[in-house]
Coordinates of all heavy atoms in Angstrom, one line a residue:
H1336 N 22.8 121.0 -45.8 CA 23.1 122.1 -44.7 C 21.9 122.8 -44.2 O 20.8 122.8 -44.8 CB 24.2 123.1 -45.2 CG 23.8 123.8 -46.4 ND1 24.7 124.6 -47.1 CD2 22.7 123.8 -47.2 CE1 24.1 125.0 -48.2 NE2 23.0 124.6 -48.3
T1338 N 21.8 125.8 -43.9 CA 21.7 127.1 -44.6 C 20.4 127.1 -45.4 O 19.9 128.3 -45.8 CB 23.1 127.3 -45.4 OG1 24.1 126.9 -44.6 CG2 23.3 128.8 -45.7
R1366 N 24.9 114.0 -45.7 CA 25.8 114.1 -47.0 C 26.2 112.8 -47.3 O 26.5 111.9 -46.4 CB 27.0 115.0 -46.6 CG 26.6 116.5 -46.5 CD 27.8 117.4 -46.4 NE 27.3 118.7 -45.9 CZ 28.1 119.7 -45.7 NH1 29.4 119.7 -45.6 NH2 27.5 120.9 -45.2
Q1380 N 24.5 120.5 -37.7 CA 25.1 121.8 -37.9 C 24.6 122.9 -37.0 O 23.4 122.9 -36.5 CB 24.8 122.2 -39.4 CG 25.9 121.8 -40.3 CD 25.8 122.6 -41.7 OE1 24.7 122.9 -42.0 NE2 26.8 122.4 -42.4
E1382 N 24.3 126.9 -36.8 CA 24.3 128.1 -37.7 C 23.8 129.3 -37.1 O 22.8 129.3 -36.3 CB 23.5 127.7 -38.9 CG 23.7 128.7 -40.0 CD 23.5 128.0 -41.4 OE1 24.0 127.1 -41.7 OE2 22.8 128.7 -42.2
N1418 N 32.5 129.9 -50.7 CA 31.2 129.3 -50.6 C 30.5 130.0 -51.9 O 30.7 131.2 -52.1 CB 30.5 129.6 -49.3 CG 31.2 129.0 -48.2 OD1 31.4 127.8 -48.1 ND2 31.3 129.8 -47.1
Y1420 N 27.6 131.0 -51.9 CA 26.6 131.9 -51.5 C 27.2 133.1 -50.5 O 26.5 133.9 -50.2 CB 25.5 131.2 -50.7 CG 26.0 130.0 -49.8 CD1 26.3 130.2 -48.5 CD2 26.0 128.8 -50.3 CE1 26.8 129.1 -47.7 CE2 26.5 127.8 -49.6 CZ 27.0 127.9 -48.3 OH 27.5 126.8 -47.6
T1421 N 28.5 132.9 -50.3 CA 29.0 134.1 -49.5 C 30.2 134.6 -50.2 O 31.0 134.0 -50.9 CB 29.5 133.7 -48.0 OG1 30.3 132.5 -48.2 CG2 28.3 133.3 -47.1
N1442 N 33.0 127.8 -40.6 CA 32.9 128.4 -41.9 C 32.0 129.6 -41.7 O 31.1 129.5 -41.0 CB 32.4 127.3 -42.9 CG 32.5 127.8 -44.3 OD1 33.0 128.9 -44.6 ND2 31.9 127.0 -45.2
S1443 N 32.3 130.6 -42.6 CA 31.5 131.8 -42.4 C 31.6 132.7 -43.6 O 32.3 132.4 -44.5 CB 32.1 132.6 -41.2 OG 33.3 133.2 -41.5
G1444 N 30.8 133.7 -43.6 CA 30.9 134.6 -44.7 C 29.8 135.7 -44.7 O 28.9 135.7 -43.8
A1464 N 26.8 135.3 -41.7 CA 26.5 133.9 -41.1 C 27.7 133.1 -40.9 O 28.7 133.3 -41.5 CB 25.6 133.3 -42.1
W1465 N 27.5 132.2 -40.1 CA 28.6 131.1 -39.9 C 28.0 129.8 -39.5 O 26.8 129.7 -39.1 CB 29.5 131.6 -38.7 CG 29.1 131.6 -37.5 CD1 29.3 130.7 -36.4 CD2 28.3 132.6 -36.7 NE1 28.7 131.0 -35.2 CE2 28.0 132.2 -35.4 CE3 27.8 133.8 -37.2 CZ2 27.2 132.9 -34.5 CZ3 27.0 134.6 -36.3 CH2 26.8 134.1 -35.0
G1466 N 28.9 128.8 -39.7 CA 28.3 127.4 -39.4 C 29.4 126.5 -38.9 O 30.5 126.7 -39.2
Ligands
LIG2227 N1 26.6 126.0 -45.0 C1 28.1 126.1 -44.7 C2 28.4 124.5 -44.6 O1 27.7 123.7 -44.8 C3 28.4 126.7 -43.5 C4 28.2 128.2 -43.6 C5 27.0 128.8 -43.1 C6 29.1 129.0 -44.3 C7 26.8 130.1 -43.3 C8 28.8 130.4 -44.4 C9 27.7 130.9 -44.0 O2 29.5 124.2 -44.2

Side-chain angles (χ1 to χ4, degrees):
H1336 54 185
T1338 317
R1366 291 185 192 176
Q1380 266 191 344
E1382 188 152 315
N1418 296 308
Y1420 38 90
T1421 52
N1442 184 6
S1443 67
W1465 70 99

